[in-house]
Amino acid sequence: MLVNWIVGMVIPLLVGAWILRRNYRLVLIYFPLGVATSTCINSVGFNFFWNILPHTRNEAFAALPMDLGIYPVTGCIMMYLILVKHVRPWPSIVVSALLLTLIEYIAKLMGHVVYFNGWTIFWTFWSYFLALIIAYGYSKLLKMMFPDPLVDRSTR
């Protein structure tokens, strides 16, 4: 379980804090969305498609570090690249989904992730892709409702 906390939460939060240190508003907007999306997808997945180590009575507990770490941080960094660095959205979404899929594939090869009921690494990619599209769609919705939510209004 310690590995889950270090690899899934501590390291991603440190990397994310360093990359996003000047963009706290972006983190405040997208981090909770990442946590919610990850938790929802994992809740369905643990009941029907996958398990992760260590086995606990509540599988969601083993995934908590990832739900609070690597998944929302990856989404925040992706949105940072799109909104602040002006990287094209679709390649950013695909690369982020591929990165998360690669990390999970390595965990699967190491025996930390077990798939069942026909779930494969292919479906894993699409689950990450869907979650990242939700984040990007959320940014488009915010842009429609609030023309520039990341601009500091006090400096105008």
Side-chain angles (χ1 to χ4, degrees), residues 3 5-6 17 22 35 38 46 55 58 74 79 82 86 90 92 94 103 118 125 142 144 153:
V3 171
W5 285 96
I6 292 171
R22 293 189 188 106
V35 171
S38 174
F46 288 133
H55 291 291
N58 181 354
T74 301
M79 293 310 302
I82 293 169
H86 306 292
W90 292 107
S92 299
V94 170
I103 292 168
F125 169 80
L142 283 176
M144 285 179 3
R153 306 273 186 246

Side-chain angles (χ1 to χ4, degrees), residues 92-113:
S92 299
I93 292 168
V94 170
V95 168
S96 297
L98 284 172
L99 176 67
L100 288 171
T101 303
L102 176 65
I103 292 168
E104 185 165 320
Y105 183 68
I106 292 168
K108 181 169 175 27
L109 290 177
M110 294 172 59
H112 292 281
V113 177

Side-chain angles (χ1 to χ4, degrees), residues 128-146:
Y128 289 132
F129 189 75
L130 173 66
L132 295 167
I133 286 176
I134 289 170
Y136 180 63
Y138 186 69
S139 76
K140 299 306 263 179
L141 180 65
L142 283 176
K143 189 80 164 170
M144 285 179 3
M145 295 176 67
F146 310 101

Side-chain angles (χ1 to χ4, degrees), residues 57-120:
R57 267 196 263 186
N58 181 354
E59 288 291 330
F61 182 69
L64 186 61
M66 282 69 79
D67 289 341
L68 297 174
I70 195 165
Y71 302 138
V73 167
T74 301
C76 286
I77 292 171
M78 181 195 76
M79 293 310 302
Y80 166 77
L81 292 172
I82 293 169
L83 298 173
V84 177
K85 296 297 183 179
H86 306 292
V87 175
R88 291 185 12 223
W90 292 107
S92 299
I93 292 168
V94 170
V95 168
S96 297
L98 284 172
L99 176 67
L100 288 171
T101 303
L102 176 65
I103 292 168
E104 185 165 320
Y105 183 68
I106 292 168
K108 181 169 175 27
L109 290 177
M110 294 172 59
H112 292 281
V113 177
V114 178
Y115 296 151
F116 52 90
N117 284 342
W119 193 264
T120 63

